Amino acid sequence: MARPVLARPVWLLLAALLLPAVARAASPDDVRSRVVEELGYVYVHGVDEPLARDLVDRLGAGVPAVLRELLVDPAFPRRDNVVAFLAHLGGPADRDALLRFMADPPAGWSTPEEDRALLMAPTALGPIARRGDAGALEALLRMTDPATAMELLGGAAAESTNPEAARTDLIEKALRGLAWAGTRQARDRLLDVGLGRLEFRGTRRDLAESALRSLDLLELLGTSSLPTVNGGAPAPASGGGAAPGDLAPRDPAPGSGVEPQEFDVNPTVTDSSLTYANHVDHNDPMTDTRLDESLAVADLRAGRSDYDGDVACCMTLSRLGTAQEFGTPGDGLDSIDDSAELNEVMGNPVARIKVVREIHNCGGPGFGIIGCGNTPGDSIAVVRMSSAADDGLLWAHEYGHNTGLGHNGDNRRIMHGFLTGSNRGLTQGECDSYHAPPLDFLTNSIRTDTGACTDNDGDEVQDGVDNCPANPNNNQLDDDGDGVGSTCDNCASDFNPDQANFDLDAEGDVCDFDDDNDGVADGSDCAPLDASVSSPAGEAQAVGWPDAGKTTLGWTTDPEATESNVYRGDFGTVFDPAWTCLAAGVIGDTYDDVDVPAAGEGFHYLVSGENGCGESGVGQDSDGVPRVPAACP
């Protein structure tokens, strides 16, 4: 029998499948693009050492070099994440990069993210020093010496709109960095400042107290030195209280797509009202307008089904009242650095949500924490984000904790441990918790039923947030950004949130070239919403006495005029040009004047035309000057 032609190739193929796979090394451009993508995420409960280490394990040893590039790239928007990752990965080269960043910030304090990056940078030197970098420790000791502090911090402070306050903040963050350094020298310096042996003059608050709190953190973290990054030993956990679970990014399951699949089983829409307060020292506080915009994004994300297993949840979040304030100027509570500050902020009853500049403790010390909420409970601390969508999802996520929800391992979920920009999903159980928190006596929610939980157009977007509730449009496209979906917008390319449509045709007034359908384009129509008028009225002609009695004044009405105004003046031996209004709004082309002038005197008359575009003139005198009578009512 002849040997089958495919025998050898099949054997070779099977052998190849049994051999270990040889991974293709990612190119520098690939590594950079992936780092840029992942550092754009919102790590709600901060960046810890395992998360940072996972980034290097997946993308390679070139990650720190990319982070150093992004640290000085003015266009990169998430420098706060860069600093947080360098705190856990950095070595001597990264220490130098952080010092250069503080000396010459590429974007100043211009956004909440830049603000956090600059405040975090001195602290980030602490873990680097803890891994054995003497230069990082030396830099922290200089930053916390009154004689040399501004040599390293002055550049960053000078970029602030309030350099004195920035100076105090940066020194305080350097004290916190000493706590992370965990060396005997760090402890001695904290004692010197805490006991007043080293005193900073002209600061906005008592840095001795800050040093003593940092000393407490040092004791919590311990003083044992850690190996360098290359040694592979983990740094102390700094997860900021993140709940257990798979927080790594995960692609959607095959076939999940964006097909709507689920709808809320609850009968009514539940709105939860949130009060909020900014710390008095916040340099970019939340505003009512911005919060309304942000919560609208969260409401849509929750209220639409985007994939199999994602419930279109009939829950909304809304602002209750206006922005409040908490704290006192210079109290340092605009940055939550330790458990005592966390407890003070979270225990403040002024509002459920307290907006601060930084959070570095949420059930434990951490770096770059974005939000912290009691689970369950009635208090939340959040920072500001530049993106309204990020703000909205963050508030929805933290309020979910208040209702008793923990983290969801699926990175498409709102309750995932970090926000990738595509977090949209809620399970039915999570949705139920927003509707009715299981331990509501702890959540203290203010909930209102705002209508039936319906989806009349069947697009898996609950009608309360659907921008076209009568037209299926799961994608909720709104090309002109006016809040009305493109599929039902009567001017889909022109901003017209009121949808005004005078003639009730298919086009709204903003994009309808002839709103009154009189055949004259709006640009040439002096009354575009009045079909009876399209151009200004002209003057009356042939004003005179059609009969011998001379009591009935007559004239020829201009075709565009809908009414006329009659003016009369007197004359005797001298002509008086002071015409006054004799009759206004005359319909027709005659007017009876029953008055009779005195002997030797007479009357003289003018007649104007008027329509919806206004009143005509009344001619000119013999010198060519327009006549100006007194106005008719």
Side-chain angles (χ1 to χ4, degrees):
M1 176 180 289
R3 177 178 296 178
V5 175
L6 294 179
R8 182 175 176 82
V10 169
W11 179 85
L12 289 173
L13 176 61
L14 290 173
L17 291 174
L18 293 173
L19 292 175
V22 178
R24 182 178 66 86
S27 71
D29 287 343
D30 289 341
V31 172
R32 192 180 196 283
S33 65
R34 287 294 304 277
V35 171
V36 167
E37 177 187 356
E38 296 198 25
L39 263 72
Y41 297 163
V42 178
Y43 297 96
V44 179
H45 296 285
V47 176
D48 60 10
E49 197 275 342
L51 183 63
R53 174 61 54 195
D54 176 71
L55 188 68
V56 175
D57 290 345
R58 288 186 290 109
L59 302 184
V63 168
V66 175
L67 295 176
R68 292 192 292 272
E69 291 177 18
L70 298 177
L71 193 63
V72 294
D73 180 356
F76 186 67
R78 293 306 310 275
R79 221 173 313 278
D80 56 335
N81 278 344
V82 175
V83 175
F85 273 88
L86 285 177
H88 296 293
L89 298 175
D94 308 296
R95 168 250 297 160
D96 291 340
L98 287 167
L99 291 174
R100 289 192 296 271
F101 166 60
M102 286 182 275
D104 186 19
W109 305 70
S110 57
T111 67
E113 291 79 9
E114 297 292 346
D115 184 70
R116 286 194 295 278
L118 283 167
L119 292 176
M120 201 188 315
T123 306
L125 294 172
I128 297 175
R130 192 179 187 89
R131 287 190 289 272
D133 182 61
L137 177 60
E138 177 61 25
L140 287 170
L141 292 172
R142 291 174 62 195
M143 290 176 184
T144 54
D145 184 337
T148 57
M150 286 302 99
E151 293 177 7
L152 297 181
L153 300 176
E159 292 288 329
S160 172
T161 57
N162 189 341
E164 179 187 347
R167 172 176 173 264
T168 303
D169 291 337
L170 291 167
I171 295 172
E172 186 174 55
K173 302 307 175 184
L175 292 170
R176 179 179 164 82
L178 288 173
W180 279 94
T183 67
R184 183 174 298 279
Q185 289 169 289
R187 180 196 294 243
D188 291 345
R189 176 56 52 84
L190 291 174
L191 279 171
D192 285 342
V193 177
L195 298 177
R197 295 194 289 256
L198 276 178
E199 184 177 355
F200 291 88
R201 299 184 182 276
T203 55
R204 296 188 74 213
R205 57 184 167 272
D206 182 7
L207 289 178
E209 181 182 350
S210 298
L212 293 175
R213 291 201 308 268
S214 293
L215 192 61
D216 290 339
L217 175 61
L218 185 149
E219 297 297 334
L220 175 66
L221 295 173
T223 57
S224 58
S225 297
L226 296 176
T228 62
V229 174
N230 292 334
S238 57
D246 172 21
L247 302 185
R250 190 178 81 211
D251 293 330
S256 63
V258 294
E259 289 297 322
Q261 301 290 336
E262 307 275 353
F263 198 77
D264 193 351
V265 300
N266 290 281
T268 58
V269 179
T270 301
D271 179 73
S272 296
S273 299
L274 307 178
T275 56
Y276 79 103
N278 296 292
H279 189 273
V280 294
D281 284 339
H282 205 301
N283 55 357
D284 189 10
M286 178 62 77
T287 66
D288 292 350
T289 300
R290 170 55 181 265
L291 180 55
D292 292 343
E293 177 187 359
S294 298
L295 294 181
V297 174
D299 291 347
L300 175 59
R301 294 285 182 94
R304 179 175 65 185
S305 177
D306 292 282
Y307 53 84
D308 190 8
D310 173 23
V311 169
C313 183
C314 288
M315 79 85 173
T316 57
L317 302 175
S318 65
R319 169 175 55 86
L320 179 60
T322 59
Q324 302 297 307
E325 287 189 335
F326 76 98
T328 57
D331 65 6
L333 294 179
D334 56 329
S335 177
I336 298 174
D337 290 323
D338 52 49
S339 58
E341 290 183 338
L342 176 67
N343 291 337
E344 188 168 351
V345 171
M346 297 291 273
N348 193 313
V350 64
R352 175 183 295 272
I353 299 181
K354 273 73 71 170
V355 185
V356 297
R357 294 169 66 191
E358 273 195 305
I359 305 173
H360 290 302
N361 192 293
C362 179
F367 277 87
I369 299 169
I370 303 299
C372 187
N374 291 334
T375 310
D378 59 2
S379 189
I380 293 169
V382 296
V383 301
R384 278 293 316 276
M385 306 298 294
S386 292
S387 161
D390 286 345
D391 272 332
L393 288 175
L394 173 61
W395 288 47
H397 177 101
E398 292 302 330
Y399 181 67
H401 284 322
N402 270 186
T403 70
L405 296 175
H407 283 156
N408 189 310
D410 187 336
N411 73 340
R412 298 170 296 172
R413 302 290 186 182
I414 290 174
M415 293 309 300
H416 186 56
F418 56 82
L419 309 177
T420 66
S422 60
N423 304 75
R424 304 175 184 275
L426 291 173
T427 66
Q428 184 63 61
E430 289 168 339
C431 178
D432 292 343
S433 193
Y434 283 100
H435 277 286
L439 298 175
D440 199 31
F441 69 96
L442 294 174
T443 303
N444 288 323
S445 58
I446 301 175
R447 303 192 312 277
T448 306
D449 289 341
T450 58
C453 179
T454 56
D455 178 25
N456 289 320
D457 56 9
D459 61 0
E460 296 293 331
V461 181
Q462 67 104 342
D463 290 338
V465 298
D466 195 335
N467 62 17
C468 285
N471 299 71
N473 66 329
N474 179 263
N475 58 23
Q476 295 288 285
L477 287 179
D478 179 12
D479 291 326
D480 56 10
D482 60 5
V484 181
S486 297
T487 63
C488 61
D489 193 333
N490 60 20
C491 287
S493 299
D494 298 275
F495 187 86
N496 66 329
D498 61 3
Q499 296 289 286
N501 187 6
F502 176 77
D503 56 7
L504 302 179
D505 61 3
E507 296 178 317
D509 295 343
V510 170
C511 59
D512 192 337
F513 292 109
D514 183 12
D515 284 314
D516 56 11
N517 291 323
D518 61 0
V520 179
D522 290 346
S524 302
D525 193 334
C526 66
L529 300 182
D530 184 349
S532 67
V533 178
S534 60
S535 61
E539 301 171 9
Q541 302 294 320
V543 179
W545 307 102
D547 58 39
K550 295 188 177 181
T551 58
T552 300
L553 186 69
W555 58 86
T556 301
T557 304
D558 182 81
E560 289 291 335
T562 57
E563 57 187 45
S564 301
N565 297 320
V566 180
Y567 301 90
R568 189 179 73 183
D570 300 320
F571 68 89
T573 57
V574 178
F575 183 84
D576 182 359
W579 292 278
T580 59
C581 182
L582 178 62
V586 177
I587 304 300
D589 54 7
T590 62
Y591 179 76
D592 290 332
D593 185 1
V594 298
D595 293 340
V596 177
E601 298 182 0
F603 296 144
H604 49 93
Y605 299 87
L606 299 174
V607 180
S608 68
E610 189 167 11
N611 62 17
C613 295
E615 185 179 11
S616 72
V618 286
Q620 301 173 341
D621 63 18
S622 57
D623 294 328
V625 177
R627 302 186 182 105
V628 182
C632 268

